[in-house]
Amino acid sequence: MADQFFGITDTGKQRQNNEDAFIAQQQVNSKFVIACVIDGVGGYSGGEVAAALARESILKRLEKPSGEIIPMLVDCFSLANEKILAEKQSVKQHDSMACVATLAIADMERNQFYYAHVGDTRLYLVRDQSLVKISHDQSFVGFLEDSGRLTEDAAMKHPKRNEINKALGFETQLSKNSDYIETGQSPFLPGDMILLCSDGLTDMINKNKILSIITGSGSIKEKCRGLIDAANEAGGKDNVTVVLVQNNKIPARHNATMPEANVNKPELTTTLTTNENQEVLHTKETPVSQTTGNKTLVIVLSLFTLLFLGTTIWQYLNKTQPAQPIAKPTIIIAKVKNDQEIKLQQSVDQLKGHILVLSDSVFRSPIILTQAIRVNADSIVIKAKGNIVFKSDTSNSGIAFSFLPTCKSIVLDSISFSGFKTAIVACNNVLKLKNVRFFNCGVPVQYGHLITSQKFISVTLLPVSFRADSLPIQSK
């Protein structure tokens, strides 16, 4: 796993000690990479001790991994919380110490990563030259920023920026509070990177600067050092810690295959109708005997006789019975796709990368759909620029978007659906909706799971969290 992960921490320009800690290592005899950033809270020595205790507890729990990954990550935080609470009770000087942490496990073989998070350290996903914030800051200012009520620049300068609501060492019954720890998982595709960092980085430099360093040239190690240097050049007011993990597999490229010409394929038929074909058939058969020919003649004459008698009887019956009305055949007219939905389906099928931007200068809104738009990409972000509304055709009350199970990650941003029986159908996908609205849709989202038949299944289906607001979330 050379050049797949690296971590580094720095005291910064204005602090005397470093209360941060990190983990960046491969699990023994495994294809997992453990990445963690811990930021201590509580004074000169307390925060440093809390971060060290948390790091020690996490590594000890992951020495012998067992059970499902996300519950194991939660267990790491619970054990760390217990250690810190015990230290606070035994040492008076440390009674106000705590720490915040973000822990991730990258499964390189299955192209997935899993995470647990408490506080205001951060987890980002880097994909297709974009930086996506995965974790949520558990602070009042973080809530304002995540909900779009504060811009990134305003949040960085807010006087209460570092006041947190949650941390390891705050809660005595952490294992009983299922909402305290933020957890999740996401596809980790070839070419992706995840960044874990303390607020000493994100308080100093913005997302654009971070992205430019990460996506620039150089090794993982050089990029980590570049982030540290940039934070220090901007002032270095706090300890700075970063961990980068990269899935350095080669991204798969699917090239379109041209159909082969029909002349190169053998034509399989069961009936030969032309005279030429009949001649070829006879040349391949063995000669027939005279006796067989006489029998064939007798059979043919008998058939003509029966046909003549049947015709006579049918004509007689038609003269004696009233004519029955002829039933009109049912004509089924296939609905023809309009130009807009043809263009949209082609845009989805021919998308290079993962981000599809729908501009109302290109797609006239509403986009009328007569059939479902089928999406088979590995991951996709569909984002509207302007007002984009998908509306059901009068003859189509079915589905707007159908995401196949092969589509692992889906993000729909700032689009609307109107008049569909089922707006979105997804199965075994990671689905994220941002500023999506539904008008008169019977079922806005239909989500399912594929489960192997006749097997013993063990699974925990986590509750889905919805956030509704009268105003859209502003993009950062």
Side-chain angles (χ1 to χ4, degrees):
M1 289 192 177
D3 201 33
Q4 274 194 292
F5 58 89
F6 187 77
I8 186 172
T9 185
D10 187 84
T11 304
K13 296 295 184 181
Q14 300 184 20
R15 294 291 181 95
Q16 298 300 315
N17 70 315
N18 193 343
E19 297 182 346
D20 285 1
F22 72 91
I23 302 170
Q25 65 184 52
Q26 181 182 358
Q27 191 180 18
V28 180
N29 298 324
S30 175
K31 295 184 179 179
F32 295 110
V33 172
I34 305 170
C36 183
V37 166
I38 308 165
D39 187 353
V41 179
Y44 186 82
S45 62
E48 195 169 342
V49 172
L53 289 173
R55 185 179 187 277
E56 178 186 351
S57 300
I58 291 168
L59 287 174
K60 186 174 181 179
R61 174 63 181 89
L62 295 179
E63 280 180 0
K64 297 179 180 179
S66 60
E68 297 179 4
I69 294 180
I70 288 181
M72 183 171 61
L73 299 182
V74 173
D75 197 23
C76 288
F77 279 5
S78 297
L79 293 173
N81 188 67
E82 292 173 5
K83 281 276 189 182
I84 294 170
L85 289 174
E87 178 72 13
K88 290 173 70 172
Q89 292 177 354
S90 61
V91 181
K92 290 184 178 180
Q93 293 90 334
H94 297 161
D95 59 356
S96 61
M97 76 177 186
C99 69
V100 294
T102 302
L103 171 62
I105 287 185
D107 185 343
M108 298 301 189
E109 184 176 353
R110 294 179 174 82
N111 296 329
Q112 291 280 319
F113 72 84
Y114 308 81
Y115 69 92
H117 165 76
V118 171
D120 62 353
T121 48
R122 290 187 177 183
L123 171 63
Y124 290 95
L125 172 65
V126 184
R127 175 180 294 167
D128 292 336
Q129 303 294 312
S130 62
L131 187 68
V132 180
K133 185 168 175 280
I134 303 297
S135 61
H136 297 85
D137 294 349
Q138 294 168 341
S139 65
F140 176 67
V141 175
F143 166 73
L144 295 177
E145 184 181 356
D146 288 340
S147 62
R149 291 168 173 82
L150 272 182
T151 65
E152 181 183 22
D153 290 339
M156 290 171 67
K157 300 172 183 176
H158 200 283
K160 295 185 177 181
R161 171 74 176 182
N162 301 116
E163 294 184 9
I164 54 176
N165 300 329
K166 297 180 181 179
L168 301 179
F170 280 7
E171 184 74 19
T172 56
Q173 299 292 329
L174 186 60
S175 59
K176 295 182 179 180
N177 191 343
S178 58
D179 297 330
Y180 200 83
I181 301 172
E182 179 187 350
T183 60
Q185 72 179 88
S186 173
F188 191 41
L189 306 179
D192 286 355
M193 282 191 287
I194 53 174
L195 166 67
L196 293 80
C197 61
S198 63
D199 62 352
L201 178 73
T202 52
D203 282 354
M204 293 291 99
I205 59 176
N206 60 27
K207 287 178 60 177
N208 293 333
K209 181 65 174 179
I210 293 172
L211 182 62
S212 67
I213 295 172
I214 294 177
T215 56
S217 60
S219 65
I220 289 284
K221 184 177 181 179
E222 292 169 338
K223 292 174 181 179
C224 286
R225 292 193 181 279
L227 292 171
I228 297 291
D229 292 342
N232 284 331
E233 288 171 5
K237 296 180 180 180
D238 198 355
N239 309 142
V240 191
T241 304
V242 297
V243 175
L244 273 176
V245 183
Q246 181 176 30
N247 186 341
N248 57 11
K249 296 178 184 176
I250 300 175
R253 299 293 182 186
H254 303 284
N255 297 323
T257 303
M258 294 296 292
E260 298 180 12
N262 291 333
V263 294
N264 294 330
K265 293 185 178 181
E267 188 172 348
L268 303 178
T269 58
T270 56
T271 306
L272 299 175
T273 56
T274 65
N275 292 332
E276 180 182 357
N277 287 335
Q278 289 175 357
E279 291 173 2
V280 173
L281 180 62
H282 284 303
T283 58
K284 292 184 179 180
E285 289 182 345
T286 56
V288 246
S289 64
Q290 184 69 28
T291 307
T292 305
N294 292 337
K295 289 181 178 180
T296 302
L297 180 61
V298 171
I299 292 171
V300 171
L301 290 174
S302 301
L303 289 174
F304 273 116
T305 304
L306 291 173
L307 181 61
F308 174 77
L309 290 173
T311 304
T312 306
I313 293 171
W314 180 80
Q315 289 178 344
Y316 173 77
L317 291 174
N318 276 349
K319 290 180 180 178
T320 57
Q321 296 181 4
Q324 298 294 326
I326 299 174
K328 294 182 179 180
T330 302
I331 301 174
I332 301 176
I333 301 175
K335 190 69 178 179
V336 180
K337 287 185 177 182
N338 60 61
D339 293 340
Q340 290 234 99
E341 61 181 326
I342 292 174
K343 184 194 301 183
L344 176 60
Q345 185 68 68
Q346 289 176 345
S347 299
V348 170
D349 295 339
Q350 299 171 7
L351 180 64
K352 294 181 180 179
H354 303 288
I355 301 176
L356 175 61
V357 178
L358 303 178
S359 173
D360 56 6
S361 62
V362 178
F363 290 90
R364 299 184 308 276
S365 188
I367 301 174
I368 307 298
L369 298 183
T370 62
Q371 300 177 31
I373 300 298
R374 293 171 60 85
V375 182
N376 194 28
D378 191 274
S379 64
I380 191 168
V381 176
I382 301 177
K383 183 176 182 179
K385 184 178 180 182
N387 181 33
I388 294 293
V389 178
F390 294 100
K391 188 174 182 180
S392 173
D393 184 81
T394 53
S395 63
N396 171 35
S397 59
I399 300 168
F401 276 84
S402 176
F403 295 96
L404 302 186
T406 51
C407 192
K408 301 300 182 185
S409 176
I410 307 157
V411 178
L412 301 181
D413 188 349
S414 303
I415 60 179
S416 301
F417 297 90
S418 176
F420 292 95
K421 183 177 180 181
T422 304
I424 301 168
V425 173
C427 183
N428 278 33
N429 318 112
V430 176
L431 176 62
K432 180 178 180 180
L433 305 182
K434 180 180 178 182
N435 296 332
V436 175
R437 294 189 295 175
F438 301 92
F439 300 92
N440 301 320
C441 293
V443 179
V445 179
Q446 179 179 311
Y447 190 89
H449 298 273
L450 293 179
I451 296 179
T452 306
S453 176
Q454 300 180 357
K455 298 291 184 180
F456 294 102
I457 304 299
S458 299
V459 64
T460 300
L461 299 178
L462 300 176
V464 180
S465 176
F466 291 93
R467 179 171 60 188
D469 207 336
S470 57
L471 295 175
I473 297 173
Q474 300 298 319
S475 299
K476 298 178 183 179

